[in-house]
Amino acid sequence: QFISWSALLLGTLLRGWGGGLFAFAPEQEFMAFYDSTEGLQRYAMSTLGLSLSMMGAASMAFFFSCWRIKPSAATITALSYLFMDMVLREGHFMDNYKHLLLTEYMATWSMVYFEEIPWVKILRNYSMLAGMCITLFVVGAAVFESRDVKS
């Protein structure tokens, strides 16, 4: 939230207020223009959605940090997994299996910029993401509890 709103504030300070909002996401095949009031509302909704989506990355990082590896290795492993997941999602050879990829659900935040916001799909995707996050947390906590304190 801090980064999103700081970027908007800095952009407003440097360029001034006016115009509106231009949203473009070629991977989801949409482009939209909004006036300043609706654009600011959509921006606020997208920052909340982005915060929810990043819980997937945080859960993945927590999961790997529960294993008996160094913290830097856990971070690199989580980032590597998310990068490979994103590459597989962007590659069209995985179109039939996108429902199995974490980043497919993490990209839900950008749906608030669609002309008609698909609330049902957003709710479904965030429910799936919440299930994945809870699963990663529970499995990570179980792995952490099974470790020997001395190791």
Side-chain angles (χ1 to χ4, degrees):
Q1 289 296 316
F2 174 77
I3 293 171
S4 299
W5 291 103
S6 297
L8 181 66
L9 179 66
L10 184 62
T12 303
L13 290 174
L14 293 176
R15 299 289 182 179
W17 186 257
L21 175 73
F22 170 67
F24 177 61
E27 67 276 353
Q28 293 186 347
E29 299 175 354
F30 82 90
M31 178 175 64
F33 297 94
Y34 298 104
D35 64 355
S36 57
T37 303
E38 186 176 2
L40 191 57
Q41 291 171 348
R42 301 270 181 138
Y43 186 78
M45 287 188 294
S46 72
T47 60
L48 290 174
L50 184 59
S51 297
L52 290 174
S53 294
M54 288 300 108
M55 290 304 292
S59 297
M60 183 66 62
F62 174 80
F63 171 73
F64 286 121
S65 71
C66 290
W67 292 88
R68 195 176 151 219
I69 56 176
K70 295 187 184 302
S72 59
T75 303
I76 291 169
T77 305
L79 290 174
S80 298
Y81 174 84
L82 291 171
F83 179 71
M84 289 173 47
D85 194 275
M86 182 190 67
V87 168
L88 290 173
R89 181 176 58 91
E90 295 296 324
H92 295 291
F93 60 93
M94 286 291 289
D95 283 344
N96 294 334
Y97 301 101
K98 282 188 176 183
H99 63 280
L100 300 174
L101 302 175
L102 182 65
T103 55
E104 176 70 15
Y105 301 105
M106 290 175 64
T108 301
W109 69 272
S110 61
M111 290 182 186
V112 298
Y113 290 117
F114 290 176
E115 188 69 33
E116 295 292 325
I117 301 174
W119 291 111
V120 173
K121 187 172 183 179
I122 289 173
L123 183 61
R124 185 192 72 203
N125 286 357
Y126 278 130
S127 297
M128 291 292 292
L129 187 63
M132 289 180 196
C133 292
I134 290 168
T135 302
L136 287 169
F137 177 80
V138 169
V139 173
V143 167
F144 184 78
E145 287 295 321
S146 69
R147 288 177 39 193
D148 185 14
V149 178
K150 298 175 187 174
S151 59

